[in-house]
Amino acid sequence: MRKGLSFRVKFISTFVLICLIAFLLFFANRIASEYVILILNLIAINIIFSTSLTLINGITGIFSLGHAGFIAIGAYVSTLLTLPVEQKEMTFLIKPLIYPLNQIQISFLPATIIAGLVAAGFGYVVAAPSLRLIGDYLAIATLGLGETIRIVANNAWSITNGALGLKAIPPYTNIYWSWGWAFITVLIIASLVNSSYGRALKAIREDPIAAKAMGINVFSHQVMSFVLGSFFAGVGGSLWAHLITTIDPKSFTFTKTFEILIMAVLGGLGSISGAIIGAAVYTVGLEFLRFLESPFKIGPILFPGIPGMRMVVLSALLIILMLFWQRGIMGREELSWEKFYGIFRCFRRGGKS
């Protein structure tokens, strides 16, 4: 009977992979164009969004549609903490910003952590009553609460500047911040999923009644999962706001949650590896198809650009994928060093033969 890989081999392989990714990101940050760097940052931020939603929807089985609301909380909280006082005075023209936010300016790291904690706090407030519902009722409740957050942001002029939004946000997000937080997100959520808590969450996903009969506190585990996912959604919102440098309530409609759900389902709902792959494929694919929105030629034929065509094409491709590959790219499977070395051995044997 063949034994699995030792911990030492896995640790060295993981360390080498992390060093290789870090080197490639450092190299890209030095020589790549601003557009490529923007795409790399978006991939990392979308990994945070997709992984945090996978924890809630795919691992725990909570059908939540309010992720955009927690992203909005993280974006607004961190922005209000990092904007210079002078910029706040120029931005809040209709109604002045409330005290003490009008006098506060802190650095990016604590602002991002606070944004995540505030989003987690709201996640707990939302989870406590909502998780007593099941199925479609839970989805409708979380969708309504996400929309409520957006509507409050649209009308709270003395906090969010209403429909005008916040402009001239300091562009603190870079490759190191975005990919550093993406690594932390994946590390923490993957560690949780592989622990006894993770096995309990999967049991709840499969059958809450049976899990409760086995002594698992279903409600507390669901709340923990929802709060942790909300925290990382808030962190991702902070990174996204300081990358785009302008936010308003229209940035956090249900469409935002739908995009993140596409990433999770594309990669495989219930797989952390799938969430990473789905986020990368969706982000790159969305940018690759941008040429469809401007005039382009195929041979002698000139095609006029159609605004929004890339979303139509991408949606059609996703529909085809779901028809023939219903569980997504990874399903509920995870990438592992055992599988990688197994494939490598197969190639070596094939070469020898």
Side-chain angles (χ1 to χ4, degrees):
M1 184 175 178
R2 182 177 294 172
K3 296 181 179 180
L5 296 175
S6 65
F7 173 79
R8 182 180 178 183
V9 173
K10 293 180 181 178
F11 178 81
I12 294 175
S13 301
T14 303
F15 180 76
V16 171
L17 178 62
I18 293 172
C19 290
L20 178 61
I21 293 173
F23 173 76
L24 292 175
L25 291 174
F26 174 78
F27 188 69
N29 194 48
R30 296 293 296 271
I31 67 168
S33 64
E34 292 184 1
Y35 177 70
V36 172
I37 292 175
L38 174 64
I39 301 304
L40 290 173
N41 280 315
L42 287 175
I43 290 173
I45 294 171
N46 283 336
I47 287 173
I48 296 173
F49 291 154
S50 180
T51 306
S52 59
L53 185 63
T54 295
L55 174 65
I56 298 173
N57 283 22
I59 304 299
T60 313
I62 303 171
F63 191 23
S64 172
L65 296 176
H67 220 53
F70 304 112
I71 295 171
I73 291 172
Y76 274 106
V77 169
S78 63
T79 299
L80 291 172
L81 292 175
T82 57
L83 269 179
V85 175
E86 299 79 9
Q87 183 63 39
K88 292 177 182 177
E89 293 176 355
M90 291 187 292
T91 300
F92 288 83
L93 298 175
I94 297 178
K95 286 187 178 180
L97 181 62
I98 62 172
Y99 179 85
L101 290 175
N102 61 343
Q103 301 295 327
I104 293 177
Q105 181 186 2
I106 63 177
S107 58
F108 183 48
L109 177 59
T112 300
I113 295 174
I114 292 172
L117 292 174
V118 173
F122 274 90
Y124 179 81
V125 172
V126 169
S130 299
L131 291 178
R132 301 189 184 278
L133 303 172
I134 59 173
D136 297 338
Y137 300 103
L138 175 59
I140 293 170
T142 54
L143 173 62
L145 290 166
E147 286 296 296
T148 300
I149 293 172
R150 185 183 65 82
I151 292 171
V152 169
N154 198 49
N155 292 277
W157 288 89
S158 58
I159 301 176
T160 63
N161 203 31
L164 296 178
L166 302 175
K167 309 292 190 294
I169 302 172
Y172 290 137
T173 301
N174 55 32
I175 281 182
Y176 306 115
W177 279 119
S178 59
W179 282 93
W181 274 110
F183 173 76
I184 293 172
T185 303
V186 172
L187 177 64
I188 292 177
I189 292 180
S191 299
L192 175 67
V193 170
N194 292 321
S195 68
S196 58
Y197 285 99
R199 290 190 289 272
L201 294 177
K202 292 177 182 179
I204 294 170
R205 175 190 65 193
E206 299 300 331
D207 193 331
I209 297 176
K212 188 175 182 179
M214 293 297 294
I216 298 173
N217 190 328
V218 173
F219 181 72
S220 65
H221 279 75
Q222 287 179 326
V223 170
M224 176 193 66
S225 173
F226 201 93
V227 168
L228 185 60
S230 301
F231 172 82
F232 285 113
V235 168
S238 172
L239 294 167
W240 188 75
H242 289 83
L243 177 68
I244 305 301
T245 68
T246 177
I247 57 173
D248 60 68
K250 292 182 181 178
S251 305
F252 308 103
T253 61
F254 170 68
T255 305
K256 189 69 177 176
T257 298
F258 182 66
E259 290 178 356
I260 302 168
L261 188 60
I262 288 175
M263 299 175 203
V265 173
L266 173 63
L269 197 59
S271 169
I272 303 300
S273 305
I276 297 171
I277 296 171
V281 170
Y282 181 84
T283 306
V284 174
L286 200 62
E287 293 300 323
F288 176 77
L289 295 173
R290 191 178 289 275
F291 74 93
L292 296 173
E293 300 185 356
S294 57
F296 64 96
K297 293 181 69 175
I298 298 180
I301 304 174
L302 177 65
F303 292 89
I306 303 175
M309 179 54 67
R310 60 176 179 150
M311 292 301 299
V312 175
V313 174
L314 186 61
S315 299
L317 293 174
L318 291 172
I319 290 172
I320 294 171
L321 177 66
M322 289 298 103
L323 288 174
F324 296 99
W325 210 347
Q326 297 180 2
R327 296 178 66 89
I329 296 173
M330 293 296 298
R332 290 182 178 176
E333 298 295 323
E334 297 288 355
L335 294 175
S336 64
W337 288 116
E338 283 86 354
K339 293 180 180 178
F340 174 79
Y341 284 114
I343 294 172
F344 180 72
R345 292 191 191 100
C346 289
F347 275 114
R348 287 189 62 187
R349 290 172 184 171
K352 289 180 180 180
S353 61

